[in-house]
Structures are given as C-alpha cells and as structure tokens.
C-alpha cells in the first residue's frame, strides 16, 4: 500500500518551544519543554506516571493550550495541522469504550473521515484503504467482529489500522505495548520501522523501557520538566533514566564476583518496571545495549531478559 | 373489524398518531447516543428542568416552547458548569440541578394555580394539542431529524473517540453543543406528547432495545428510530381503546419491546447467553 508520505503534504515535524501547561486548578503539568522532531523518526516518550506524557499529547492535539510557549506541527499551529489531517492518534486501550457498537472495519473507516465529504460517504478509494490497512496489521479475518470481542493485541492492531487508513504523516501512540503479547509487540515494532522508512514521524509514549533502544532512534525523557532529549544512544543512559525514574523502578546491579571469577570490572544493571527489563552491561553502564551489539561483543550475558510475563 | 378503524375517523386521533410517531422517532434517534455515553438521565433531567420555563412562559404569556427551551438550556449549562467547577460525580450534579429546577417549577405553579395545568406538563396532552403547537412540534422534530441524518457519522466519531475526531478535523465541542441543543428542543417537543415524566423513557428505551439487537451503530440508529416511531403511533392508536394516557401506553409498548429483546435477542439476549454458557461448559468439559 502506498503509505509513504504524500509529497503534497508538508514534511512532518513537531517542534515545541518552552511549552508550559498549567491546568485551571493551578497544577503545572509541563514546564519549559522544548524539543524538535523531524521526518523519519521514531521517538520514545518516557517518564513516570504523572510526569506529563499525556498532557504533552493533549497539547500536541490542541486539547490543552500551553500557558506559555508554542507547539508547531509540520510548521503549522496545532489546530491548522489537525484540520489538514496531519496527525493520527492511537489511544491507550483503557481510553476506549469497548462496548461501543462498532465493528473492526467501522473503526478503521473512521480513520478515513478526514478524506471524505460533508456526509462522510465512503468512496471506493476509502474502502480500498481500509482493506489495505486491515491487511497490513493482519486483522482482515476479524473485520466483522465487534471491537470488544478481540484480544488485547488485536484491539491494539485495530487502532493502528485506523491510523494507517488515515494516512497522516505524524502518528502519536499512547502506550502501544500495554497489555499486548510479545508477538504483537514485535509486529507493531516492525510496522513502526516500516513507517519510519517511509518518512513518517512517530511519537510513542511507553513504559516498556527494554524495547526503547530496539526501535526508537530518538528519546524524550520528561518529569514535568524536560530531563533529556536527543538520539537514543546519547540520551537513553543509565544516569538519565535514574533521573527520570528516581526510586520508582526496580533496580538490580550485578558485578564482579556475582558474575565471574576474574577481575573484569564490568557489571550488569537491570532496570525494570515489570514490563520488559532494560539491561546495561559495562564498566559504568552508560549506554544501553541493543541486540546487534550483544551479538558482536562477549556472549557471556544475555542482554535482554523478560523478567515478567506480560498480561495478555 | 370496522371498530378498529374508528380512531382514523377522528381528526384529533390521526393527528395524535402521526405527531407522536414523529416525536418518537426523533427521541429514539437521540437515545442511541445518550445511552452509549451513560447520559441517559440527561433526558430526564432536561424534561424536569423545563417545568419552570413552561410555568414562567404561561405567566408572561410568551410561547410555551420558548420558555421551555430557555429553562432546558440553562439547566444544561448549569450542569456543565457545576461539573467543571467541582469534583462531584455526574449523577449528583444532574440530580441537584434538575430537582432544583423542578421544585422551582412546582412552586411557580402552586403560587399561580390557574395558570397551568400541571398534569398536562407531567403527562402531556397529545389528544388536545392545538394546531400552533403541532406546527411547533413538527418543526422541531423535522429539523432535528434532518440535522441528525446529515451529521450522524460525525456525532458517532465524537462520541466514540473525541481525540481521534479532532485529528480528522472535526470540532467535538461544536458537535456536542449541537447535540444538546437538539436534545433540549426535542425534550420540549416530547413534553407535549408524552409529558415530562415519560420523556425519559422516550430517550432511553428505544436505544437500549436496539443496542441488544445489533453491533453496528448505523443499524442501531435505524432500529431505534423504527422502534420509537412504531411504538408511538401504535401507542396513540391503542390509547383510544384503553381510554388511557397516550404517553403511558407508548412507554408500556416500548418497555414490552425492550423485555422481548432482553430475553430473545439473537446474540445479546438472556436465552442466547444461557445457550452460549451451556455450550462453553460442554466444550470445556470435553477438553
């Protein structure tokens, strides 16, 4: 399917400049956040609960207005970008009413609304895009199911298909791996990589620290203020993560005689919030290990460990 | 046989049947949305909140519907405001606002007892409806049905996923204001046919019945409207023979249909889920 970013649309980008969001009760949810993301990027948005991840999403979609600073999407003010169908959103599963009387294909068709006329009557092209989107996430066989009858992973894929059908160059994903089996997680990650190759920009909020170095090329760490932002290799460090998560994460450090009898000073550090664990291995543990590196360096440790089976 | 045709010989009965049908269809359309959002009691609240508007309108000798609409709209705004500014739950907010409006209405009527017949507000009076009122009700119903028919998909998108609705360029706030304006207007219309107490049934039961019968929103709307229209026409017709309040008969018919769907619905009915549990027990036992 031709999901490549159409040349007629402006190049995808998200730019936040000194964004501060204050709620009407005086609560400052975000303070002085600045970052800039370009086309062909998967950016992980990482932080503890209540760190302002959802608020940042809301600000990018114009639900909350920054009390200071500005967000520009593809160079446009947020509301203009939304009117031009530039942003797609994949909601958190708990935000969806699964009892709503809609079938899988109806949900995906809603992704096409921005391409339809006043009466939202589907054209042949709209139907074809829906078919293609369902095919691409492997949900064609389930298209006539009511959405509440699906498994956690299938539910997620329906909303991914809706975003694909929408053909927006920018996709925001809110906790796409929560409650999803490992197979679906891999499928989602592969899909996101394909979209990145086609020039899409994706911002993914996640708790799943272990998979971040796997597929995110950029990372933003927040806790009301911006803690760090930049390429994963430089930003997703043990020091920054400890800043972001304080005492919230489980933290194991294995080194020296725990691991081996020689005087190798490298140690294994495991950071986990009970999803997939993040493992650092080295003398000071300042760079995350990716699967590729694990193969080329010493094979005496497994880089990735699933500490807990995730709920399916 | 000819006895069954007697109601058609009276103009007022024919009028009651088609006006009720129109109002029933419009209320049923709205009920499909209200039920999904857990806002079903909104209709009830608005219907009661309208009473002081009606009483005030009679006192001031301005059109009945104008007063009703203003009161309904104020109540809706009031509920929204209290909800925004406090941490009270929706049911408490709705309860507080509509009981205060209703009480104010009853007080107005009791101070000025000859002005309004309370019973005609509470029970409606479709059989005695005046021609000007018919015009008013028909206008409200036809405009509402037209707007809903054109915009049902946009409203569905907003009710299903507001965030997504925004990303495809819809304006959720404007669409919600549109929806509640239509709801207030239709409550006023329904007030004259079935009365304040029974409006709640008109804006809940058809949607709830249809929900048990289908998994697609488009079909749910069609079923709901068909149920609303058919029960209203039939209710008005049957009320001639029973010599009972039209509104009561309409709602009884709707309730009977709901009960039938509750038990016999092919997928979500009581019998169907019994069968399903039973067959699961059998396969579970053999595994």
């Amino acid at each position: 399917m031709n999901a490549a970013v159409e040349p007629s649309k402006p190049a995808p980008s998200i730019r936040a400049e000194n964004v501060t969001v204050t709620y009407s009760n005086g609560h400052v949810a975000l303070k002085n956040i600045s970052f800039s993301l370009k086309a062909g990027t998967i950016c992980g948005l990482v932080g503890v609960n209540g760190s302002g991840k959802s608020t940042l999403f809301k600000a990018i979609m114009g639900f909350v207005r920054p009390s200071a600073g500005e967000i520009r999407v593809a160079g446009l003010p947020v509301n203009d970008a939304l009117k031009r169908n530039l942003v797609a959103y994949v909601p958190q599963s708990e935000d969806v009413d699964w009892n709503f009387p809609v079938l899988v294909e109806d949900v995906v068709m809603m992704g096409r609304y921005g391409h339809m006329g006043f009466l939202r009557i589907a054209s042949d092209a709209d139907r074809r895009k829906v078919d293609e989107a369902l095919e691409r996430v492997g949900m064609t066989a389930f298209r006539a199911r009511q959405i509440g009858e699906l498994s956690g992973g299938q539910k997620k894929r329906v909303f991914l298909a809706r975003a694909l059908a929408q053909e927006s160059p920018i996709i925001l994903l809110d906790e796409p791996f929560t409650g999803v089996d490992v197979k679906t997680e891999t499928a989602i990650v592969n899909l996101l990589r394909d979209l990145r190759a086609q020039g899409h920009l994706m911002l993914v909020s996640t708790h799943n620290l272990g998979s971040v170095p796997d597929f995110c090329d950029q990372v933003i760490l927040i806790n009301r203020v911006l803690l760090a932002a930049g390429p994963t290799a430089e930003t997703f460090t043990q020091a920054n993560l400890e800043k972001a998560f304080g005492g919230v994460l489980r933290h194991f450090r294995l080194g020296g005689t725990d691991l081996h009898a020689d005087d190798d000073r490298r140690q294994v550090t495991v950071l986990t919030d009970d999803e997939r664990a993040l493992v650092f291995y080295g003398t000071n543990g300042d760079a995350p290990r990716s699967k590729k590196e694990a193969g080329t360096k010493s094979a005496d440790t497994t880089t990735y460990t699933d500490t807990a089976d995730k709920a399916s | 046989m000819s006895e069954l045709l007697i109601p058609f010989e009276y103009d007022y009965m024919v009028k009651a049947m088609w006006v009720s049908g129109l109002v029933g269809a419009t209320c049923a359309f709205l009920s499909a949305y209200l039920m999904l959002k857990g806002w079903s009691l909104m209709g009830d609240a608005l219907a009661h909140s309208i009473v002081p508007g009606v009483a005030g309108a009679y006192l001031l000798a301005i059109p009945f519907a104008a007063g009703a609409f203003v009161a309904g709209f104020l109540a809706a705004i009031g509920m929204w405001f209290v909800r925004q500014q406090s941490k009270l739950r929706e049911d408490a907010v709705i309860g507080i606002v509509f009981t205060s409006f209703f009480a104010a209405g009853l007080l107005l009527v009791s101070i000025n007892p000859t002005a309004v017949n309370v019973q005609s507000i509470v029970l409606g009076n479709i059989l005695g409806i005046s021609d000007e009122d018919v015009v008013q009700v028909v206008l409200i119903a036809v405009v509402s049905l037209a707007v809903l028919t054109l915009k049902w998909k946009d409203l569905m998108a907003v009710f299903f996923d507001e965030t997504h609705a925004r990303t495809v360029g819809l304006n959720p706030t404007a669409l919600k204001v549109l929806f509640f304006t239509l709801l207030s207007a239709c409550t006023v219309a329904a007030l004259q046919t079935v009365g304040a107490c029974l409006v709640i049934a008109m804006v809940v039961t058809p949607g709830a019945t249809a929900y048990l019968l289908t998994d697609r929103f488009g079909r749910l709307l069609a079923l709901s409207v068909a149920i609303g229209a058919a029960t209203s026409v039939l209710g008005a017709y049957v009320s001639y023979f029973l010599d009972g309040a039209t509104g009561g008969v309409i709602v009884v018919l709707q309730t009977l249909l709901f009960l039938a769907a509750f038990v016999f619905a092919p997928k979500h009915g009581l019998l169907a889920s019994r069968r399903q549990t039973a067959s699961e027990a059998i396969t579970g036992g053999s595994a």
Side-chain angles (χ1 to χ4, degrees), chain A residues 14 36-46 169 171-173 176-177 187-206 211-220 230-233:
Chain A
I14 303 176
S36 176
L37 298 170
K38 293 196 306 284
T41 302
I42 302 175
C43 175
L45 178 62
V46 177
I171 306 176
L172 307 181
L173 300 100
F177 305 120
I188 295 175
V189 165
N190 287 336
L191 180 62
L192 296 184
R193 285 195 183 123
D194 289 349
L195 291 170
R196 170 169 62 193
Q198 289 168 341
H200 285 69
L201 163 56
M202 282 146 287
L203 183 59
V204 186
S205 90
T206 180
S211 57
V212 167
D214 238 9
F215 72 99
C216 296
D217 43 278
Q218 297 270 324
V219 179
I220 296 174
T232 309

Side-chain angles (χ1 to χ4, degrees), chain A residues 63-114:
Chain A
F63 273 105
V64 295
R65 194 187 284 264
S67 50
E70 193 194 18
I71 295 179
R72 284 195 164 253
V73 174
L76 301 163
V78 169
N79 283 331
D80 294 350
L82 293 176
K83 286 214 182 73
R84 296 182 61 176
N85 214 354
L86 294 176
V87 183
Y89 175 67
V90 179
Q92 221 170 326
S93 290
E94 58 205 60
D95 292 342
V96 176
D97 176 4
W98 298 106
N99 291 322
F100 206 94
V102 281
L103 306 185
V104 168
E105 58 183 10
D106 299 333
V107 172
V108 181
M109 188 57 91
M110 281 191 232
R112 298 296 302 168
Y113 276 19

Side-chain angles (χ1 to χ4, degrees), chain A residues 212-289:
Chain A
V212 167
D214 238 9
F215 72 99
C216 296
D217 43 278
Q218 297 270 324
V219 179
I220 296 174
L221 290 159
I222 61 170
N223 193 358
R224 297 202 190 157
V225 295
L226 186 78
L227 300 171
T232 309
E234 294 154 32
T235 316
F236 206 61
T237 61
Q238 198 176 330
N240 280 337
L241 282 164
E242 279 168 8
K243 257 202 295 187
F245 288 94
V248 180
L249 291 182
R250 262 173 245 284
H251 189 166
F252 307 100
R253 189 168 282 161
L254 305 168
T257 53
D258 288 344
L259 289 179
H260 26 57
D262 56 35
D263 61 352
D264 187 342
R265 283 174 51 241
R266 291 180 293 177
Q267 38 180 229
V268 177
T269 303
V270 181
L271 287 179
T272 175
D273 65 344
D274 283 354
E275 289 259 350
R276 191 186 277 193
L278 176 66
V279 181
F280 292 100
Y281 181 47
T283 42
N284 47 13
D286 55 2
R289 296 285 307 262

Side-chain angles (χ1 to χ4, degrees), chain A residues 61-63 79 82 85 87 89 99-103 105-106 110 113-114 118-120 149 162 166, chain B residues 36 150-151 153-154 156-157 159-164 166-170 211 214-217 220 267:
Chain A
M61 284 179 293
F63 273 105
N79 283 331
L82 293 176
N85 214 354
V87 183
Y89 175 67
N99 291 322
F100 206 94
V102 281
L103 306 185
E105 58 183 10
D106 299 333
M110 281 191 232
Y113 276 19
F118 181 77
L119 293 178
R120 315 284 167 204
E149 297 165 5
R162 184 180 73 177
Q166 197 175 342
Chain B
L36 286 172
L150 293 177
K151 282 283 156 197
K153 283 186 174 173
D154 287 11
M156 169 180 77
F159 276 56
F160 178 60
D161 185 345
E162 219 177 303
T163 317
H164 170 74
R166 264 189 90 93
T167 68
V168 292
L170 298 175
Y211 182 77
T214 177
D215 280 336
R216 303 196 81 160
F217 193 68
L220 191 152
K267 189 168 158 195

